[in-house]
Amino acid sequence: MTQQVKLFIDGEFVHSNSDKLIPVTNPATQEVIAQVPCATTTEMQQAIDSAKAAFKTWKEVPVSERARLMMRYAQLLKDHQGEIAAIICEELGKTVEDAKGDVWRGIEVVEQAANIPSLMMGETVENVARSIDTYSYIQPLGVCAGITPFNFPAMIPLWMFPMAIACGNTFILKPSEQDPMTVNKLAELFVKAGAPKGVLQVVHGAKEQVDTILHHPDIKAISFVGSVNVGQYIYKTGTDNLKRVQAFAGAKNHMVIMPDANKQQVINALVGASVGAAGQRCMAISVAVFVGSAAEWIPEVAAAIGKVGPGHYSNDKAAYGPQISPQAKARILSLIAQGKKEGATCLLDGSDCQVDGYPNGNWVGPTVFSDVTTEMEIYKQEIFGPVLTTMTVANLDQAIELVNSSPYGNGTSIFTASGAAARKYQHNIEVGQVGINVPIPVPLPFFSFTGWKGSFYGDQHAYGKQAVRFYTETKTITARWFDDDIQVSGPNMSINLR
């Protein structure tokens, strides 16, 4: 009998009473490995009520104790990294090393959450006026929520709830219904680390459960990662309901290759950055912009990408796994076909990819296009698959103009041996995260993940110092103390301090 994924409410894993069940399938085989329930209205309210009640006591827990909880949690995640990765492999199809990397990048954020005492320090100035001091405190918001995508089922939830909870909030997590079991394992280890009852809730479901989070008055802040259309909906609906929202949305990331770059480094970087993780990452390089004579390298790039391919996670020679669903595969194949129809040259076509022993897998082989223009759908849309489009420009100025004309601004990189070219690029490019001879510039968590333009809706970004600002409010106190024998002057009728 297929297992039913449990909800995690008020400190316990519980069976849902819902009759709405969504199958969870192994994307390499189409085998149904679990059923995930759509939490009922009552269950959603129970989770919110539990989080609201827990906040009253959790916010009073000393910040040093919250930090030690995160230290214990980080160690448990390290101890169980392989176990978590195995769950990711089964329900998402990632290769083992990619799945382990998913977990590790999440662990790094938990380690940063353990630094919360220094991150939550306020400010103070003595004698802002005569015998008057001003100081500020950073205090938690209340019940916060996160809505996470399928592609990083460990890392992205760990971007959210550890930082929010370390700040003194409680948290409701709604993971993707396509791979929900990873998050349940994260919650199990959080309890083992010593998290009090009600501090974290995990609810499962689809749009109805998301809408409950967006509209419920007791939820103060929402973090979302996903597609551009859903991101816009989350941001607008959440803010219309007077919530603080950060919504990470679509991307179309460009790598600019200068003629003075190291060719082999460029080729190696493009192989991993374009088709790694089956292209299912918001920081994947999907457009390679070759400047001047560097365009001569395009055939060699296509040949190198053609040497890798998808496979089952049990095969250590597999470069990446399947697409998450048949629908995702069909969309990618449709865009590949459209690219050919629109006149792009398909140097490498992965449309008919097969993997021995897994005839039902959602396989798409590595695909490379040249002669791509900005009017083509394969350029305009986020394909979210192992497809690289290549373009050529005459000089760096044209490359910058091309990248800046994109509606997205998640990530970009430049490969060059010129410090002047790199400096010009990083200064003028309108993208939040820039790599110099680094293909996928995802920052470590003592910085923040800082997408721009149509890749992000909100004010404060994920993890790092900006996450602390997102999950807290600042309270400023102006104080004056009188001696018993002080001579009191007349009333002050102005706003001046004296």
Side-chain angles (χ1 to χ4, degrees):
M1 183 175 178
T2 304
Q3 66 170 311
Q4 181 175 317
V5 179
K6 294 180 179 180
L7 309 175
F8 182 61
I9 297 176
D10 200 32
E12 295 182 358
F13 286 97
V14 296
H15 280 285
S16 174
N17 293 318
S18 177
D19 57 1
K20 297 178 182 178
L21 302 175
I22 301 171
V24 180
T25 59
N26 182 320
T29 64
Q30 305 310 315
E31 174 193 3
V32 176
I33 55 178
Q35 291 182 315
V36 60
C38 294
T40 66
T41 301
T42 299
E43 290 162 347
M44 291 294 295
Q45 188 61 52
Q46 288 172 342
I48 295 168
D49 288 344
S50 174
K52 186 177 179 181
F55 175 66
K56 296 177 182 178
T57 53
W58 180 245
K59 68 177 181 179
E60 303 298 341
V61 171
V63 67
S64 56
E65 291 187 28
R66 302 201 301 261
R68 284 192 286 270
L69 169 63
M70 296 304 160
M71 292 176 192
R72 295 192 298 271
Y73 189 42
Q75 186 58 53
L76 282 170
L77 291 170
K78 293 172 187 176
D79 293 343
H80 293 266
Q81 181 184 11
E83 184 180 351
I84 301 167
I87 299 172
I88 295 173
C89 290
E90 184 179 19
E91 61 181 356
L92 178 55
K94 285 191 177 189
T95 63
V96 173
E97 288 306 308
D98 194 17
K100 287 182 177 179
D102 185 336
V103 181
W104 184 256
R105 292 309 300 265
I107 290 171
E108 290 175 330
V109 180
V110 180
E111 290 177 332
Q112 177 68 1
N115 292 323
I116 199 65
S118 60
L119 295 173
M120 290 192 71
M121 286 182 177
E123 299 173 315
T124 181
V125 175
E126 187 180 38
N127 282 336
V128 295
R130 190 172 300 279
S131 299
I132 296 178
D133 306 323
T134 298
Y135 45 96
S136 64
Y137 294 138
I138 296 175
Q139 297 186 335
L141 296 174
V143 180
C144 301
I147 302 161
T148 58
F150 74 85
N151 58 329
F152 284 93
M155 181 186 77
I156 295 179
L158 292 172
W159 279 9
M160 298 179 185
F161 75 83
M163 291 299 296
I165 291 172
C167 287
N169 302 287
T170 55
F171 204 86
I172 297 171
L173 183 60
K174 208 300 284 183
S176 171
E177 64 275 17
Q178 297 183 91
D179 47 7
M181 295 186 291
T182 300
V183 160
N184 274 25
K185 184 63 181 180
L186 299 181
E188 176 188 320
L189 294 175
F190 198 51
V191 173
K192 190 174 181 180
K197 182 175 75 171
V199 168
L200 174 67
Q201 321 278 332
V202 179
V203 295
H204 297 290
K207 184 177 184 299
E208 180 181 349
Q209 289 67 37
V210 169
D211 282 339
T212 298
I213 290 170
L214 292 173
H215 289 89
H216 201 286
D218 288 334
I219 294 176
K220 305 303 181 185
I222 299 170
S223 184
F224 166 82
V225 177
S227 66
V228 61
N229 291 336
V230 180
Q232 291 172 345
Y233 173 77
I234 295 286
Y235 182 73
K236 185 178 188 307
T237 307
T239 54
D240 282 351
N241 283 276
L242 305 179
K243 301 184 190 306
R244 188 177 294 185
V245 181
Q246 54 177 203
F248 297 84
K252 196 72 177 180
N253 306 312
H254 300 69
M255 179 192 288
V256 173
I257 300 102
M258 299 297 291
D260 63 357
N262 182 296
K263 182 172 68 172
Q264 194 56 52
Q265 288 179 346
V266 167
I267 291 172
N268 292 344
L270 274 175
V271 172
S274 61
V275 304
Q280 298 177 129
R281 49 190 179 195
C282 67
M283 288 292 286
I285 294 296
S286 56
V287 185
V289 183
F290 291 84
V291 179
S293 61
E296 299 171 3
W297 305 346
I298 293 176
E300 293 179 71
V301 169
I305 293 176
K307 293 178 182 178
V308 303
H312 191 262
Y313 57 82
S314 61
N315 180 1
D316 59 9
K317 291 183 172 57
Y320 60 89
Q323 309 309 130
I324 184 62
S325 68
Q327 294 78 13
K329 174 183 175 180
R331 178 180 176 275
I332 295 166
L333 296 184
S334 175
L335 284 166
I336 292 173
Q338 190 164 359
K340 298 173 187 175
K341 183 178 179 180
E342 290 178 333
T345 301
C346 191
L347 301 176
L348 182 67
D349 189 352
S351 300
D352 297 321
C353 179
Q354 297 292 325
V355 172
D356 291 343
Y358 299 93
N360 299 319
N362 305 321
W363 310 112
V364 177
T367 300
V368 179
F369 281 98
S370 64
D371 304 312
V372 175
T373 68
T374 56
E375 292 76 28
M376 296 178 179
E377 289 302 310
I378 54 170
Y379 176 77
K380 292 190 289 186
Q381 294 204 35
E382 184 179 22
I383 300 174
F384 223 60
V387 180
L388 177 68
T389 60
T390 67
M391 308 176 78
T392 59
V393 295
N395 52 52
L396 180 57
D397 288 334
Q398 289 183 9
I400 292 171
E401 182 180 0
L402 173 67
V403 177
N404 284 348
S405 66
S406 171
Y408 301 112
N410 210 36
T412 188
S413 61
I414 182 170
F415 273 64
T416 181
S418 168
R423 173 67 174 76
K424 181 176 182 178
Y425 191 77
Q426 74 177 35
H427 181 70
N428 290 287
I429 210 68
E430 296 169 4
V431 177
Q433 292 156 136
V434 182
I436 298 172
N437 297 317
V438 173
I440 300 181
V442 177
L444 289 169
F446 27 85
F447 290 91
S448 296
F449 188 94
T450 53
W452 283 16
K453 299 195 294 189
S455 295
F456 178 73
Y457 301 94
D459 299 308
Q460 302 291 344
H461 293 83
Y463 61 75
K465 292 180 180 178
Q466 292 198 34
V468 174
R469 298 189 190 106
F470 179 74
Y471 289 121
T472 60
E473 288 280 22
T474 301
K475 179 181 289 183
T476 305
I477 299 99
T478 301
R480 180 178 185 181
W481 295 96
F482 297 103
D483 293 329
D484 290 341
D485 59 350
I486 192 169
Q487 296 297 314
V488 180
S489 61
N492 182 7
M493 306 303 291
S494 76
I495 62 171
N496 294 324
L497 293 175
R498 66 184 188 188

